[in-house]
Structures are given as structure tokens and as C-alpha cells.
Amino acid sequence: ALNSISGTYLETSAHRLPGGPALDDIPPGRLILPASIIQLETKKPRGHITAGELRASGVRIRNGDAVIVATGWDRRWNKPGFVTESPHFTSEAMDWVLGRGPALLGSDIPCYDDPRRPEGLVNKLFERGLWILAPLVNLRALRSTRATLIALPPRIKDTCAFPCRALV
């Protein structure tokens, strides 16, 4: 059996909000997106991603972009604490991202909200119609702040999340 949230996966609001789109409702062309890539300092366990450091990156996010945030956390892939010690966004950082009008938020962290004290940040994304792509790997290899993201999960009816291969 394969869990829908395994490896790198794409997740829609249907996972948490009634009436949200399932993956099979999304035309494949909507999953090929221009991307803004933000490289942050390497995060420590339970580190915070702040609005100040996102702003200080100087990366310009365009309306409808995929926003990809690299923290270096993927180096801990499949090690103890990868999920429970994950760095995460602060509420202000999530509001900063949402204020730029992206279509998708991707990162090399598995938890966008504090895994120990969630504040509902994932629901903020879903309420705005954003999708989640996580956890990504090898983001440190990206040298540009602009790219094209391709994230195509299999088209399985009524699925809200599923592993996919993400390419930049």
C-alpha cells in the first residue's frame, strides 16, 4: 500500500476542506508553472522561516507563481526527526507568501506549520486555493531565482494528495 502523502507529494485543499479540488480536477497544464526560488540559510531543527528573511531574499514573486523555499532540510531526509523536528513557517511568513498571490508553495521541509503546535497555516494556504508540494529535495542545486516547475502526479479520481515527480 502507498500512502497519498509519501515521498514528494502534491496536495490540494480537498485534503482538509470540503469541496476543494481533487487532483484529477486540475488540468495538467496548470501544474507546469513559473517558479520563484528562495534560498534561505540552512535551518536547524524546529527553526522558523520568517517573513523578514523571505523579504530579505530579494526574490520577486509574481502572481500565479510556484514559490519554492529551500532551507537545506532535505539533507535530513529519512533520518529520525525529519518530520517531528521540521523547520516551519511563522504565521507572518505565511501571510507574506500569501500576499504575493502564488498558486503553489513548495519546500524541502515536510511541515509548513509547527509540527508540535500547529497554528492552522496549511488551512490558510488551502483557503486561498494554493497547493502544497513537499518535501522537495536537491533545491540547493538550483542556481537561479526563476525557473519552470513541473509537478505531475498520476490522475486518480477523487484523490486529494499523491506522490509525484517534481522537476525544475
Side-chain angles (χ1 to χ4, degrees):
L2 179 66
N3 188 317
S4 63
I5 298 180
S6 296
T8 296
Y9 61 88
L10 184 68
E11 180 179 4
T12 72
S13 61
H15 192 171
R16 294 190 181 193
L17 303 176
L23 289 175
D24 63 303
D25 293 330
I26 302 169
R30 297 253 349 256
L31 297 171
I32 301 170
L33 299 165
S36 294
I37 301 159
I38 301 173
Q39 297 281 351
L40 300 179
E41 294 289 324
T42 298
K43 292 293 177 183
K44 294 182 178 177
R46 303 205 62 230
H48 298 286
I49 297 169
T50 68
E53 66 188 321
L54 293 171
R55 209 175 4 263
S57 74
V59 174
R60 182 171 170 251
I61 298 169
R62 298 175 184 146
N63 191 50
D65 273 0
V67 175
I68 299 174
V69 179
T71 69
W73 192 249
D74 61 330
R75 74 190 186 289
R76 294 175 153 252
W77 182 276
N78 215 19
K79 292 183 180 167
F82 180 68
V83 174
T84 59
E85 297 296 312
S86 175
H88 52 275
F89 290 86
T90 64
S91 183
E92 293 79 17
M94 189 61 69
D95 290 342
W96 186 89
V97 169
L98 291 171
R100 267 101 210 118
L104 176 150
L105 178 58
S107 184
D108 54 7
I109 58 174
C111 300
Y112 289 4
D113 207 341
D114 186 335
R116 294 188 184 173
R117 288 184 212 90
E119 299 179 55
L121 301 185
V122 170
N123 280 356
K124 276 186 172 184
L125 290 169
F126 289 154
E127 287 165 358
R128 295 273 190 95
L130 274 72
W131 306 312
I132 292 175
L133 183 63
L136 295 163
V137 295
N138 301 322
L139 294 180
R140 291 292 195 222
L142 302 175
R143 298 289 172 230
S144 176
T145 60
R146 297 290 304 166
T148 298
L149 170 72
I150 302 169
L152 299 175
R155 193 166 187 187
I156 301 172
K157 188 164 178 49
D158 298 327
T159 302
C160 60
F162 207 83
C164 70
R165 185 132 188 217
L167 305 170
V168 175

